[in-house]
Amino acid sequence: MRYLRMTLAYVGTAYAGWQRQPNRVTVQSVLETALARVIGECVHTVAAGRTDAGVHALGQVVSFSTETRLSNEALRRALNACLPNDVCVLEVCDAPEGFHALRAAIGKCYRYLIQTGSLRDVFATDRLWHCRYELDCEKMRQAACHLVGRHDFRSFQSRGSPRRSTVRELRRLKIDATPLLAGQRISIEIEADGFLYNMARNIVGTLVEVGRGRLEPDQLPLILQARDRRRAGPTAPAHGLYLVAVKLRDSSSCSST
Amino acid sequence: MRYLRMTLAYVGTAYAGWQRQPNRVTVQSVLETALARVIGECVHTVAAGRTDAGVHALGQVVSFSTETRLSNEALRRALNACLPNDVCVLEVCDAPEGFHALRAAIGKCYRYLIQTGSLRDVFATDRLWHCRYELDCEKMRQAACHLVGRHDFRSFQSRGSPRRSTVRELRRLKIDATPLLAGQRISIEIEADGFLYNMARNIVGTLVEVGRGRLEPDQLPLILQARDRRRAGPTAPAHGLYLVAVKLRDSSSCSST
């Protein structure tokens, strides 16, 4: 039995999220179908981040075990030949025995893209959140500072999958803005040791409330303290979110033979 | 009667090109349908560049005349509310009496995007040409130098719509390369006073033959002299091509009231 790890990129638009569901096309289902065709085995894959419907990935990490004798590179090429155009295996490499992508993940980085102004970017449909109102990035940065660090993020957790602890360490929250002909393109990068359900989108939704002047930056500590979802802003739409990278425990380091 | 000019961006993937055709969805047909809904008139639109199926536009210029009393900005907003997500009106402005986008165009700029390497970019499906082989951009630049200037481009004209003269002035041909994790992203910008049928894609197809070593840069003058389509390289696929901008005669300058 071999344990493998792969890195995957996908456009989430056509999928009901990562996780296999009856009668829905999901990234996991097309990947496992492609694996069955290529290696002739039914394998169960595990992803480090179970992205929601519409969420994209630049560096999703997936683990599975197999009996195949195909080389990792041959497997990668064969899978990409079978997968639809909006899913691509970037890398396949050997993993330590028992490797489990979800349990090995000790950090994740998400990016959220926003475009402001009255002009839609036709090339970015379903790939960013188009906000018609202007956003004050300086205020958003001030608000973001209050979120960095180890906090109870319960106010930023949507209902659905309560975790034992709602304390997470937010390691980095970086907001970049690029001016466009009309409006601006804003990128929000969020890195944490783990994310509660919808946490990234709820943080973005709250920062956007600050950017448009409906919340003040210094209200963020109070929102955290409240531990009440109703105090934070709305959930930003899924189609602006990208799972950029997953940080794995050292022992899961890869050799790509 | 008012003469109007608009600038349009679209993703060409879903369309059988610009030009209205029976039983096909084209950019012109969705635009004229939207215009009919917004202003209640059947108008005939004229584009500066009749892009082929799959070709994209960042700055297509379109002219039409109308009796509507809507302001240009109201017209732009109403059209964008009616148009599909992959077509967007960037600007509407007044044009001189009798303005005709095709006749007023005295130059056009196209951009062609290529990505090399074994990794597909899932976010660029149908938006660039994925070449699996490596390309030598320095050789492509040397070849490009031979094409800049006033030449008979008959060798770069596909059959289909022969023009009276096949002499064109190619004003600029700029090749930029950005390294990627695997391979590179190449952008080829071509500016000319006019383009023969498929000329931009035939130039790109020929430059790619040079880049992969099947043609030498110093063969380009011979290819031009031959005035024979069979001497140049193949036609690059439509989905890598973007109509970037149209240069209009001074008298067509716009006032966007």
Side-chain angles (χ1 to χ4, degrees):
Chain A
M1 181 71 77
R2 291 165 62 197
Y3 288 86
L4 296 179
R5 190 188 96 187
M6 40 192 211
T7 313
L8 215 63
Y10 49 82
V11 183
T13 314
Y15 301 99
W18 160 262
Q19 194 132 350
R20 190 180 271 284
Q21 292 172 54
N23 306 318
R24 303 292 292 276
V25 181
T26 68
V27 181
Q28 187 180 24
S29 70
V30 299
L31 180 64
E32 293 182 357
T33 303
L35 275 164
R37 272 186 65 183
V38 169
I39 61 179
E41 278 177 59
C42 283
V43 299
H44 175 69
T45 57
V46 172
R50 285 164 298 188
T51 53
D52 277 337
V55 174
H56 317 291
L58 301 170
Q60 171 72 284
V61 172
V62 172
S63 60
F64 62 100
S65 56
T66 171
E67 304 281 359
T68 185
R69 291 183 184 184
L70 282 176
S71 77
N72 293 341
E73 182 55 18
L75 183 57
R76 187 184 73 76
R77 284 177 187 267
L79 283 172
N80 283 334
C82 289
L83 284 166
N85 273 336
D86 48 10
V87 181
C88 181
V89 179
L90 304 177
E91 193 183 23
V92 177
C93 56
D94 294 328
E97 200 182 320
F99 176 68
H100 186 281
L102 188 61
R103 287 187 213 125
I106 53 168
K108 262 174 251 166
C109 176
Y110 282 97
R111 185 180 299 146
Y112 198 97
L113 296 183
I114 296 174
Q115 187 171 316
T116 67
S118 67
L119 289 178
R120 280 183 292 120
D121 177 349
V122 289
F123 294 93
T125 305
D126 290 329
R127 295 180 187 188
L128 52 70
W129 182 16
H130 181 209
C131 293
R132 294 183 172 273
Y133 29 85
E134 280 310 304
L135 297 175
D136 181 335
C137 283
E138 209 28 62
K139 284 203 162 175
M140 290 167 73
R141 286 191 192 101
Q142 289 166 24
C145 289
H146 294 293
L147 297 176
V148 175
R150 198 170 179 78
H151 300 288
D152 187 334
F153 282 96
R154 184 172 291 186
S155 295
F156 296 91
Q157 174 183 248
S158 294
R159 279 189 214 171
S161 89
R163 312 285 165 96
R164 238 170 302 167
S165 161
T166 47
V167 174
R168 293 292 181 276
E169 188 179 314
L170 204 157
R171 292 170 187 153
R172 202 167 60 97
L173 212 169
K174 190 162 171 283
I175 302 176
D176 287 310
T178 321
L180 301 172
L181 268 174
Q184 53 187 344
R185 176 76 66 100
I186 299 168
S187 156
I188 303 178
E189 270 195 27
I190 313 179
E191 207 180 308
D193 58 352
F195 286 80
L196 304 170
Y197 185 51
N198 276 353
M199 178 169 140
R201 290 163 58 193
N202 292 338
I203 287 176
V204 170
T206 306
L207 292 177
V208 164
E209 291 293 285
V210 173
R212 64 191 293 197
R214 290 183 172 187
L215 281 175
E216 285 304 314
D218 57 16
Q219 287 177 267
L220 269 290
L222 306 172
I223 294 173
L224 279 169
Q225 278 162 35
R227 303 173 75 242
D228 179 348
R229 175 71 192 92
R230 292 166 297 181
R231 295 290 296 277
T235 308
H239 60 261
L241 188 65
Y242 297 73
L243 173 57
V244 174
V246 178
K247 195 172 157 60
L248 298 168
R249 229 181 287 283
D250 268 350
S251 64
S252 346
S253 68
C254 115
S255 59
S256 56
T257 26
Chain B
M1 181 71 79
R2 292 165 62 196
Y3 289 86
L4 296 179
R5 190 187 95 188
M6 34 192 215
T7 313
L8 214 65
Y10 49 82
V11 183
T13 314
Y15 301 99
W18 160 262
Q19 195 132 351
R20 190 180 270 285
Q21 292 173 52
N23 306 317
R24 304 291 291 278
V25 181
T26 68
V27 182
Q28 188 180 23
S29 70
V30 299
L31 179 64
E32 292 180 358
T33 302
L35 276 164
R37 271 185 66 183
V38 170
I39 61 180
E41 279 176 58
C42 283
V43 298
H44 176 70
T45 57
V46 171
R50 283 164 297 189
T51 52
D52 277 337
V55 174
H56 317 291
L58 301 171
Q60 171 72 282
V61 172
V62 172
S63 60
F64 62 101
S65 55
T66 171
E67 304 281 359
T68 186
R69 291 183 184 183
L70 282 175
S71 77
N72 293 340
E73 182 55 17
L75 183 57
R76 187 184 73 75
R77 285 177 186 266
L79 283 172
N80 283 334
C82 290
L83 283 166
N85 273 336
D86 48 11
V87 180
C88 180
V89 179
L90 304 178
E91 192 183 23
V92 177
C93 55
D94 295 328
E97 200 181 320
F99 176 69
H100 186 280
L102 188 61
R103 288 188 212 125
I106 54 170
K108 262 172 251 166
C109 176
Y110 282 97
R111 186 181 298 146
Y112 197 97
L113 295 183
I114 297 174
Q115 187 170 316
T116 67
S118 67
L119 290 179
R120 279 183 292 120
D121 177 349
V122 290
F123 294 93
T125 304
D126 290 329
R127 295 182 187 186
L128 52 70
W129 182 16
H130 181 209
C131 293
R132 294 184 171 274
Y133 28 87
E134 279 310 303
L135 298 176
D136 181 336
C137 283
E138 209 28 62
K139 284 202 162 175
M140 289 167 73
R141 285 191 193 100
Q142 289 165 25
C145 289
H146 295 292
L147 296 176
V148 175
R150 197 170 179 79
H151 301 289
D152 187 335
F153 283 97
R154 185 172 291 188
S155 296
F156 296 91
Q157 175 183 246
S158 295
R159 279 190 214 168
S161 89
R163 311 286 165 98
R164 238 171 299 167
S165 161
T166 48
V167 174
R168 293 291 182 277
E169 188 178 315
L170 203 157
R171 291 170 187 154
R172 202 168 60 97
L173 211 169
K174 189 162 172 283
I175 303 176
D176 288 310
T178 320
L180 301 173
L181 267 174
Q184 53 187 344
R185 177 75 64 100
I186 299 169
S187 155
I188 303 178
E189 270 196 26
I190 313 178
E191 206 181 309
D193 57 353
F195 286 81
L196 304 169
Y197 186 53
N198 276 354
M199 179 169 140
R201 289 163 58 192
N202 292 339
I203 287 176
V204 170
T206 306
L207 293 177
V208 164
E209 290 294 285
V210 173
R212 64 190 293 196
R214 290 184 171 185
L215 280 175
E216 285 304 315
D218 56 16
Q219 287 176 266
L220 268 290
L222 306 172
I223 293 172
L224 278 169
Q225 278 160 37
R227 304 175 73 242
D228 179 348
R229 175 71 192 91
R230 292 166 297 182
R231 295 291 296 278
T235 308
H239 60 260
L241 188 63
Y242 297 72
L243 173 57
V244 174
V246 178
K247 196 172 155 60
L248 299 169
R249 227 180 287 284
D250 270 349
S251 64
S252 346
S253 68
C254 116
S255 58
S256 56
T257 24

